[in-house]
Amino acid sequence: MTQEQLNQLGKTLWAIADDLRGAMNADDFRDYMLSFLFLRYLSDNYEQAARRQLGADYPQLAADDRRPPLAVWYEDNPVDALEFERQMRRKVHYAIEPDYLWRSIYELARTQSPDLLQTLQRGFSHIENESFASTFQGLFSEINLNSDKLGRTPAERNKKLCTVISKIAEGIAQFSTDSDILGDAYEYLIGQFAAGSGKKAGEFYTPQTLSTILSRIVTLDSQEPATGKKKKLSSVLDFACGSGSLLLNVRKQMGPHGIGMIYGQEKNITTYNLARMNMLLHGMKDNEFEIFHGDTLTNDWDMLSEMNPSKKLKCDAVVANPPFSYRWEPNDALGEDFRFKSHGLAPKKMADTAFLLHGFHFLSDEGTMAIILPHGVLFRGGVEQRIRTKLLKDGHIDTVIGLPANLFFSTGIPVCILVLKKCKKPDDVLFINAAEHFDKGKRQNVLLPEHIDKIVDSYQFRREEDRYARRVPMAEIEQNDYNLNISRYVSTAEAEDEIDLAEVHKQLGEIEQRIAAAARTHNQYLQELGLPPV
């Protein structure tokens, strides 16, 4: 599918969403829309795999027969159904009973069946608890099929769902559903819903342009970026993963087999479910990723616990866009936490450096971490200055990238990207000031491909450029009390032309002479008219 076709698919789905949600809040309708798109993907993928598995035994139905071929096969082969599902779980890692396939659900919707609502409820429960080898508990927990927003009575809700599902099915029927196509359409819709969500969008959406910068940076060789991309990443972690688009962007850079394991953590239940769906929609198997629902700052994920140091997770890439200046509750116990003990606790009103230290702890010695943070972490005093100073003295801060303002749906403030490494070669810090390199959009500023390429190229080759990028020695940073305010080191201001005071004095003298001559001429005219001079 071409980019133009993909954009058209996204626009078609968005138009359906915009038309059908009625009085429903866009954020609420998003969950229905994306869940149905997810069910369509799972079903298509499963039926294609079943066709390959059954070969000549896969039923060939007449054009006017709307039943799923698998439903016919199940009727004809009831004894073999369990073994077939076992084989399917081994090959595609899940199984779906024919009644819950999209084709069956759409037929109920098309015929306005009163059984649609109950069938969907059973189907969602089946997928959560029985389809996958590892259960996906709560995957549809945010989809309230009994919501008054769908209708006051079960009959009204059933009718609304029939309309929504029919429109989605008809809207995407003309498009190919090859691998990743529906996944990309899902990403498009997430972006569109984010655009309409204002500040709420910050909870689940990182603009694709920023995701691309981070993912391109962390996939380069950490010690010698100029040599290019790593061949393999053992694992990648995003500890505030939202809908998972940043993790998927890293996977896109490395290719489907370039990462051993993907780990994500998300506190918000809705976006946690979006992330799990997003992984599966992009063709990942359930044993290729793990998304955990929990609080990163309190570190309630057992896998990241220090209880078993020999198995402690170490990732070759860490990426994150955590909530900016998040209020948290540091306490004495956290002060002794292995993530913060040697650096200090971030202040109560701003957890930015706490997020940074959390991710940095799980970075491997050969890994690269790239994190989006507000500019305050670069220059604020107090404990944040002490944390920053230690990271700098230990040689862990590699690059500071300043970005334009108004890139996010959720905030207009300018942000920066910090690149950190456990072991880095250069005894300096690269500063990139890209604040004035953007395309002005209607509501948000936009980074074009050339802006992204320039940032990544400057990082990769540690390239210096006047008023854009500079390698700053540690001695100079020390003289500035470890303040990393970008404009101290790379100013975008253009130098004013040097003023020649002697020439200016000469010009002023000439002007005064012309003024005096003009005054004499003027008074001469007044005298001829018999008027007093001025």
Side-chain angles (χ1 to χ4, degrees):
M1 178 180 277
T2 65
Q3 186 62 43
E4 184 178 347
Q5 289 172 319
L6 177 59
N7 288 341
Q8 188 56 49
L9 171 57
K11 289 175 182 176
T12 298
L13 289 168
W14 179 245
I16 292 169
D18 204 36
D19 180 53
L20 292 179
R21 70 181 179 90
M24 190 182 295
N25 181 284
D27 290 337
D28 292 330
F29 192 78
R30 174 195 67 201
D31 300 328
Y32 294 97
M33 188 81 182
L34 295 178
S35 294
F36 293 144
L37 196 63
F38 175 62
L39 178 60
R40 164 71 191 267
Y41 168 80
L42 284 183
S43 300
D44 282 4
N45 188 55
Y46 187 70
E47 288 191 277
Q48 289 172 16
R51 185 180 294 109
R52 292 192 296 269
Q53 176 69 18
L54 295 174
D57 292 332
Y58 192 77
Q60 302 297 317
L61 305 184
D64 59 350
D65 191 336
R66 292 179 172 273
R67 293 175 298 169
L70 267 181
V72 177
W73 186 88
Y74 267 67
E75 290 174 8
D76 295 341
N77 301 274
V79 177
D80 299 325
L82 284 178
E83 175 60 22
F84 168 74
E85 288 180 2
R86 191 182 71 80
Q87 290 292 331
M88 293 300 286
R89 284 192 173 91
R90 187 175 65 83
K91 293 191 174 181
V92 293
H93 288 243
Y94 67 96
I96 302 179
E97 292 181 7
D99 285 350
Y100 308 130
L101 291 168
W102 175 260
R103 196 186 299 240
S104 298
I105 297 295
Y106 170 48
E107 184 59 16
L108 292 176
R110 188 187 69 83
T111 58
Q112 296 283 305
S113 169
D115 297 328
L116 174 65
L117 181 60
Q118 291 185 343
T119 304
L120 271 177
Q121 289 172 329
R122 292 195 301 270
F124 285 165
S125 176
H126 169 73
I127 292 170
E128 286 183 340
N129 300 302
E130 300 173 44
S131 286
F132 291 87
S134 55
T135 63
F136 276 73
Q137 285 284 349
L139 191 62
F140 299 100
S141 63
E142 296 300 286
I143 315 303
N144 183 2
L145 295 175
N146 293 314
S147 171
D148 287 344
K149 295 175 182 178
L150 283 173
R152 294 182 180 180
T153 66
E156 288 178 356
R157 293 193 284 273
N158 195 88
K159 184 177 180 180
K160 178 76 169 180
L161 288 168
C162 284
T163 302
V164 172
I165 290 170
S166 295
K167 288 290 185 182
I168 293 174
E170 292 158 10
I172 60 180
Q174 59 183 302
F175 296 99
S176 164
T177 54
D178 292 343
S179 177
D180 269 6
I181 296 303
L182 286 179
D184 288 341
Y186 185 90
E187 286 280 337
Y188 179 95
L189 283 174
I190 288 177
Q192 290 299 310
F193 279 112
S197 295
K199 291 185 178 180
K200 290 183 180 179
E203 296 178 4
F204 64 87
Y205 189 71
T206 302
Q208 283 295 322
T209 51
L210 297 188
S211 288
T212 300
I213 295 171
L214 267 65
S215 59
R216 286 178 61 180
I217 284 175
V218 300
T219 51
L220 291 170
D221 186 273
S222 62
Q223 297 302 302
E224 299 288 349
T227 61
K229 193 181 296 184
K230 283 186 174 183
K231 293 181 179 179
K232 182 87 174 179
L233 294 176
S234 64
S235 56
V236 56
L237 168 68
D238 182 349
F239 52 82
C241 69
S243 59
S245 60
L246 185 45
L247 287 169
L248 287 167
N249 214 318
V250 177
R251 180 175 180 263
K252 183 178 180 180
Q253 296 296 328
M254 293 300 297
H257 306 296
I259 301 176
M261 189 69 178
I262 284 179
Y263 297 101
Q265 183 163 1
E266 176 54 40
K267 184 177 181 180
N268 182 292
I269 182 67
T270 302
T271 46
Y272 159 67
N273 287 330
L274 286 181
R276 294 192 290 172
M277 289 184 190
N278 210 358
M279 298 294 138
L280 294 166
L281 265 162
H282 280 84
M284 295 186 67
K285 292 183 170 61
D286 59 341
N287 64 345
E288 295 175 332
F289 69 91
E290 187 168 349
I291 309 293
F292 180 77
H293 177 227
D295 189 330
T296 292
L297 294 176
T298 59
N299 199 32
D300 52 6
W301 193 356
D302 288 343
M303 190 186 70
L304 302 185
S305 167
E306 191 83 331
M307 298 302 290
N308 191 348
S310 65
K311 293 185 178 180
K312 186 170 63 179
L313 183 67
K314 289 293 183 181
C315 297
D316 288 341
V318 177
V319 289
N321 174 28
F324 302 150
S325 301
Y326 181 78
R327 291 184 68 91
W328 71 313
E329 298 294 334
N331 53 43
D332 292 343
L334 282 171
E336 293 299 311
D337 189 284
F338 58 89
R339 299 165 296 161
F340 311 129
K341 188 173 182 178
S342 61
H343 290 82
L345 282 173
K348 185 174 182 179
K349 292 183 179 180
M350 293 166 287
D352 303 309
T353 48
F355 283 119
L356 184 152
L357 291 173
H358 175 92
F360 185 68
H361 182 83
F362 298 106
L363 184 66
S364 71
D365 289 343
E366 296 297 316
T368 303
M369 173 178 170
I371 180 171
I372 300 172
L373 292 168
H375 277 256
V377 299
L378 304 177
F379 55 77
R380 288 192 294 246
V383 67
E384 289 180 289
Q385 183 180 17
R386 294 195 293 275
I387 292 170
R388 188 170 62 242
T389 298
K390 179 168 177 54
L391 288 169
L392 284 163
K393 285 184 174 180
D394 292 346
H396 295 320
I397 297 180
D398 179 89
T399 302
V400 180
I401 304 169
L403 296 171
N406 203 30
L407 291 176
F408 289 85
F409 296 117
S410 54
T411 178
I413 66 169
V415 297
C416 65
I417 297 172
L418 281 182
V419 181
L420 295 95
K421 299 175 183 179
K422 288 285 176 74
C423 308
K424 75 180 182 86
K425 286 190 175 181
D427 187 27
D428 56 38
V429 176
L430 175 65
F431 285 82
I432 300 173
N433 194 341
E436 296 184 4
H437 297 254
F438 61 90
D439 187 55
K440 192 167 181 62
K442 290 181 179 179
R443 289 195 289 179
Q444 275 79 40
N445 292 328
V446 179
L447 295 178
L448 300 177
E450 55 264 34
H451 301 138
I452 296 171
D453 290 342
K454 187 175 178 68
I455 290 171
V456 176
D457 181 76
S458 299
Y459 163 79
Q460 182 175 4
F461 299 103
R462 227 160 175 79
R463 207 188 301 279
E464 296 186 284
E465 181 181 326
D466 286 345
R467 297 190 301 111
Y468 187 78
R470 179 176 165 232
R471 297 175 64 170
V472 179
M474 285 303 302
E476 183 177 343
I477 294 173
E478 183 179 1
Q479 288 174 359
N480 284 315
D481 293 326
Y482 299 96
N483 186 315
L484 297 180
N485 196 341
I486 299 171
S487 60
R488 284 189 177 223
Y489 306 102
V490 184
S491 174
T492 59
E494 294 195 42
E496 295 183 4
D497 293 336
E498 194 171 309
I499 298 174
D500 186 335
L501 292 178
E503 179 63 25
V504 171
H505 183 72
K506 177 184 175 184
Q507 291 173 1
L508 287 173
E510 292 173 350
I511 291 170
E512 288 176 353
Q513 289 176 6
R514 291 200 299 272
I515 290 172
R520 286 194 297 271
T521 302
H522 182 65
N523 285 332
Q524 185 177 347
Y525 292 148
L526 291 174
Q527 186 178 8
E528 292 175 357
L529 294 171
L531 298 172
V534 294

